[in-house]
Amino acid sequence: MQRYQTVRTEDIEKIHQISLKIMEEVGVIFSYAPAREILAKGGAKVEGETVYFPKGMVERELKHVPSSFTLHARNPEKNVEFNTEETRFVGPYGAPFVMDLDNGRRPGTLDDFIKLVKLCHMMNNIDVQSHISCEPGDTDADTRHLDMVYNTLKYSDKPLMGSVLGYEASKESIEMAAIAHGGLDAIKDKPVIISIPCTLTPLSYDDKMAGAIIAYAEYRQPQLVNSLCLAGATSPATIAGSIAVQNAEILAGIVLAQLVSPGTPIVYSASGSSTDMRYGNLSIGAPESALFSLVNGHLAKYYKIPCRISGTLSDSKQVDAQAGYESMMTLMMAQMAGGNFILHSAGILDTYNCVSFEKLMIDDEIIGMVKRIGRGVTVNDETLAFEVAKQVGPRGEYITNKHTFAHFRKEFYQAQLSDRARVNQDGLTIEERANARWKKMLEEYVYPALPEAIDTELQCYIASKR
């Protein structure tokens, strides 16, 4: 549910119309020949690698996109429904570096990857495992996607994401997920893995991402069609102009997916922000990032498609005050915008480049706070508590009243890390408490057993691809 709008509905219609004009008159590059062939058969004009989309074609294909779908987990109790109303939280994605208090910043390894999968499995606020919890740089890059899908399936029974590094890698991710769900025939109309193919801004798709869109659509598996524009660098410096370009890119990918298989589940995924012109860098902790989120959420509601928005983002290189205020701002705006799939819900530092184990825990606290705010306020005779106020009277106290004991556990968010005591009782900083918490969680981790037959089949599959 969108709780705040920064533009009017008529402004959203203007953005939509300009996006359609960009698609029809400027076009979008698809370097992948199979994608151009599919789009041409669907009614697009193709000149070289540039594809021009007629307005009617785009609006026709948008009508095929479902407004909801269920992403199935290895454990059916952890299936997740995605729709245009509810908010779901997803782990960190794509960082090549990791960091913790004990070992500092370093390139990610498979051991770090598995630890992050285990922690996200243990975190009640995380609904879906990402594909690249961190980049396991000590594995073979050509088959790394197999290692990541396997270890995510093995160490967590939550839903998961898959590779988008080309048609074949995408297909292999889907086939591995299918092994855990009864085979390819069993998943034809059963989403079991979700991906995030990304545009090459401005206005293009490379071979790998277009191939990924086709692969996931062929198997009718959901995908977040994503654009990360850098306002002032890869898109106009004005937020409205950037969003119009970004939207054109996303719609082009959605049209491709629907032409491959009408009704393929889609999450509208826009993650653009501003460029810091002093350094030429993307800034994900900027207030413009929050404005992008609000407008993108509005656009997704206009299209009646579930919406991806990024979560606790920060440009800070440390778990510090900057990381805290940027992360709360971006996650709060993600919820206010009506985001349904919150990627990077926890752990991200350094403009997507690093995952911090301590920040993962601190962001879990922030998610809990934001979820509490999202629940809102219930107003009825019981919660208005007139009889209680009458019983207690002026200058009375409520702390020992039965009504208080009946309601406070549900009404008040119970902090896990925040220091709310009158004095600092443990003498620790929040980062130190977070360090102790993630270590304790790993000690308490219980392996969600992967059936031996499935494990063996997955390992044989991986061996056949190496």
Side-chain angles (χ1 to χ4, degrees):
M1 179 178 68
Q2 189 165 32
R3 296 168 173 83
Y4 182 79
Q5 295 179 352
T6 191
V7 296
R8 301 165 299 173
T9 299
E10 50 263 43
D11 296 326
I12 290 295
E13 176 63 31
K14 288 178 183 177
I15 292 171
H16 171 66
Q17 292 300 329
I18 291 298
S19 295
L20 293 178
K21 194 172 183 179
I22 290 169
M23 296 175 76
E24 189 162 27
E25 298 181 18
V26 181
V28 179
I29 288 176
F30 282 85
S31 59
Y32 193 53
R36 295 197 302 272
E37 292 171 8
I38 292 166
L39 292 165
K41 288 179 182 177
K45 181 177 74 171
V46 178
E47 294 182 358
E49 292 189 341
T50 305
V51 179
Y52 300 90
F53 295 76
K55 175 181 176 180
M57 172 189 177
V58 177
E59 296 189 327
R60 178 192 74 212
E61 297 306 320
L62 280 173
K63 292 177 182 177
H64 297 312
V65 183
S67 294
S68 65
F69 64 92
T70 297
L71 185 60
H72 294 262
R74 186 158 67 80
N75 178 354
E77 293 181 1
K78 297 180 181 178
N79 292 350
V80 178
E81 182 185 354
F82 287 98
N83 53 45
T84 59
E85 295 297 319
E86 296 176 273
T87 301
R88 310 299 188 185
F89 297 90
V90 187
Y93 191 110
F97 297 97
V98 297
M99 187 170 75
D100 62 59
L101 272 180
D102 305 291
N103 301 298
R105 179 188 168 104
R106 60 196 185 278
T109 65
L110 185 59
D111 181 64
D112 293 316
F113 177 91
I114 291 171
K115 285 178 180 175
L116 289 167
V117 169
K118 289 179 176 179
L119 288 170
C120 287
H121 174 77
M122 294 282 286
M123 293 163 64
N124 291 332
N125 285 327
I126 297 295
D127 300 300
V128 177
Q129 293 276 0
S130 85
H131 175 54
I132 311 174
S133 296
C134 74
E135 193 79 39
D138 56 344
T139 60
D140 184 343
D142 291 335
T143 55
R144 187 171 295 163
H145 61 288
L146 304 175
D147 295 316
M148 291 188 289
V149 172
Y150 171 72
N151 283 288
T152 305
L153 278 169
K154 181 174 182 177
Y155 292 106
S156 179
D157 58 4
K158 292 181 178 180
L160 78 160
M161 299 181 72
S163 176
V164 290
L165 294 181
Y167 181 85
E168 290 301 324
S170 299
K171 184 179 176 183
E172 288 165 358
S173 296
I174 296 164
E175 289 174 345
M176 288 182 69
I179 290 171
H181 289 271
L184 289 172
D185 288 341
I187 69 163
K188 285 180 179 177
D189 293 302
K190 178 183 176 181
V192 298
I193 189 168
I194 189 167
S195 67
I196 180 169
C198 197
T199 68
L200 181 61
T201 60
L203 297 171
S204 69
Y205 282 83
D206 67 15
D207 289 16
K208 290 184 176 180
M209 297 301 157
I213 290 174
I214 293 170
Y216 280 89
E218 285 178 347
Y219 289 93
R220 297 182 63 79
Q221 296 301 301
Q223 45 193 303
L224 294 79
V225 181
N226 182 64
S227 170
L228 198 173
C229 67
L230 283 68
T234 66
S235 61
T238 53
I239 293 175
S242 269
I243 289 174
V245 170
Q246 179 175 257
N247 188 46
E249 295 175 4
I250 294 168
L251 294 182
I254 293 174
V255 168
L256 174 59
Q258 298 308 307
L259 286 172
V260 173
S261 182
T264 294
I266 297 291
V267 175
Y268 184 97
S269 180
S271 53
S273 188
S274 58
T275 303
D276 190 305
M277 291 301 187
R278 290 171 297 180
Y279 308 110
N281 295 339
L282 167 68
S283 176
I284 59 175
E288 293 78 31
S289 174
L291 289 170
F292 270 90
S293 294
L294 288 166
V295 179
N296 293 331
H298 200 162
L299 267 171
K301 300 298 180 269
Y302 175 80
Y303 297 129
K304 298 181 175 61
I305 301 174
C307 177
R308 169 269 173 118
I309 296 178
S310 295
T312 53
L313 304 183
S314 180
D315 297 309
S316 179
K317 313 305 181 285
Q318 304 293 330
V319 182
D320 56 10
Q322 179 185 341
Y325 63 70
E326 289 178 345
S327 294
M328 175 54 93
M329 175 190 69
T330 52
L331 187 64
M332 194 71 224
M333 286 301 101
Q335 177 158 286
M336 295 290 283
N340 311 114
F341 188 109
I342 311 300
L343 190 59
H344 310 295
S345 288
I348 292 292
L349 283 173
D350 190 13
T351 321
Y352 296 127
N353 284 309
C354 188
V355 172
S356 160
F357 282 82
E358 284 75 33
K359 188 170 184 287
L360 194 75
M361 299 293 100
I362 294 169
D363 291 343
D364 189 42
E365 183 96 301
I366 295 175
I367 296 170
M369 293 176 175
V370 168
K371 287 174 76 172
R372 173 61 192 96
I373 294 168
R375 288 210 326 266
V377 177
T378 301
V379 180
N380 56 36
D381 289 346
E382 174 65 17
T383 61
L384 285 169
F386 171 76
E387 292 300 328
V388 181
K390 183 178 179 181
Q391 176 189 356
V392 172
R395 292 192 176 180
E397 55 83 16
Y398 290 83
I399 199 162
T400 61
N401 193 279
K402 290 181 179 180
H403 185 271
T404 300
F405 281 86
H407 290 278
F408 82 88
R409 288 181 178 84
K410 182 178 179 181
E411 199 79 358
F412 305 155
Y413 173 70
Q414 303 299 311
Q416 302 297 311
L417 290 176
S418 303
D419 184 358
R420 295 176 172 179
R422 292 185 179 180
V423 296
N424 188 339
Q425 295 177 340
D426 58 14
L428 302 176
T429 65
I430 191 166
E431 193 173 9
E432 290 167 336
R433 288 195 294 274
N435 178 269
R437 186 179 181 221
W438 70 257
K439 290 175 180 175
K440 186 172 186 290
M441 287 178 70
L442 287 179
E443 289 175 358
E444 295 174 349
Y445 168 82
V446 177
Y447 173 54
L450 183 66
E452 185 177 349
I454 292 176
D455 195 355
T456 300
E457 188 174 353
L458 284 168
Q459 292 190 50
C460 289
Y461 180 91
I462 292 171
S464 73
K465 299 295 180 179
R466 291 203 189 277

